[in-house]
Structures are given as C-alpha cells and as structure tokens.
Amino acid sequence: GKAARMLREFIARYPLYVDERAKAERRLRAVGEDIAAALKSVEALASRARVARTDTAFDEAKRACEKLITRLEGDEAAKGVAKTLAELKAEQEVAARVRRNREAAEILARAKEHVERKEFNIARAECNYILLHFADTMHVGEARSILEKLPKPEE
C-alpha cells in the first residue's frame, strides 16, 4: 500500500543514491512478499469459510479482508480483496438461508410425525413455531396448510 508507493517514489526520485536505492529495493521486495503472504492467508481463510459454511468462519475471513483492505489502501490489490469480501458477505447470507430452511424442514417433519401420531397440540405448536420464527423460509405454506387441516383445539 502506502509503504510500497513511498519506496517506489524514492527509487524513482533518487537514482544516484546507490546504497539507499538498494536498501529501498530490498525493503520494497520485502513489503511485496509480506503483501503476497497476507493475500494468500486471506484467500485460505475465504476458502475455508466457503467449505465450512459457518458464521464463525465467514466472520473470520471477512475481518481478515477488511484488515487487509485498510492496509492496502490505494493499492490495486485492495480491489481484489474488496471483491472477495463482497463475495463472502453474499455467500454467508446464502448459507444462513440454507441453514434456516433446513431447520424449518426438520421442524415441519416433526410436526408431520406428530399429526400421524394424533398429537395435534404438539403439531400445532411446531407449525406455529415455523410461522413465527421461520416466516422467511419456503416451509411456511406447508405449515399453514397443516394448521388448517388440524382439528380445532379442545378447550
């Protein structure tokens, strides 16, 4: 980022200072290697998050991306890291929706089992839970339909 830019400017501005130029070139290479290692680390964390599909893994990868973007301020590589960060955010949202749909499907399956066993109050509670806590999932319609078919509760 900024350090690399300053070193490049020094090398270009003072070509006659051989010793200082050599030191600046070495430092520039070291900075480049450090940035390459940080990019590789971020990619590894992103890859791990994509496989694990957990909020913890996504959050860790996103924090690493944000930290590196700040460090690379003004560098061309920051755009690639920003793109990775945006992809991670989108993938985390998708993973969360998949988890919610899976959880709602499990609750709906339990509700159906309770209906088969004639445990209507428990089935009703499970379906109401889906309607209340999983209203954004694809299982709401089926839960509502089960509720409509259940006999009215006894008072």
Side-chain angles (χ1 to χ4, degrees):
K2 189 175 179 182
R5 194 171 44 256
M6 289 172 62
L7 288 169
R8 280 190 217 103
E9 288 172 5
F10 176 82
I11 292 168
R13 192 175 304 146
Y14 304 107
L16 298 178
Y17 294 92
V18 177
D19 289 340
E20 288 79 8
R21 181 184 172 126
K23 286 178 188 175
E25 287 173 345
R26 280 195 301 275
R27 181 68 185 125
L28 182 58
R29 275 194 300 279
V31 167
E33 290 168 1
D34 188 38
I35 289 172
L39 287 168
K40 189 174 181 179
S41 173
V42 163
E43 283 304 319
L45 286 170
S47 178
R48 194 180 104 216
R50 289 177 175 126
V51 171
R53 314 282 302 159
T54 64
D55 282 336
T56 305
F58 278 115
D59 290 342
E60 183 180 2
K62 288 183 337 188
R63 274 192 307 275
C65 284
E66 290 165 350
K67 186 176 176 182
L68 188 55
I69 288 170
T70 302
R71 188 171 159 203
L72 293 175
E73 173 189 337
D75 195 293
E76 205 50 40
K79 291 178 184 175
V81 178
K83 181 181 176 201
T84 300
L85 177 60
E87 290 169 355
L88 285 170
K89 287 178 180 178
E91 289 174 33
Q92 185 176 19
E93 290 174 13
V94 169
R97 277 197 303 271
V98 167
R99 279 193 306 275
R100 288 182 57 73
N101 273 315
R102 190 177 316 125
E103 190 175 346
E106 290 169 3
I107 296 169
L108 188 62
R110 285 197 314 258
K112 289 176 182 178
E113 289 172 9
H114 291 296
V115 169
E116 288 175 11
R117 291 193 300 249
K118 308 272 191 247
E119 298 169 339
F120 301 124
N121 287 337
I122 298 172
R124 184 175 293 106
E126 298 276 23
C127 289
N128 282 326
Y129 188 81
I130 291 172
L131 295 178
L132 184 63
H133 296 285
F134 295 92
D136 59 339
T137 66
M138 63 177 134
H139 301 288
V140 171
E142 194 172 355
R144 193 172 284 124
S145 135
I146 290 172
L147 276 174
E148 290 170 359
K149 293 176 185 173
L150 290 176
K152 299 293 178 215
E154 299 168 11
E155 297 189 24

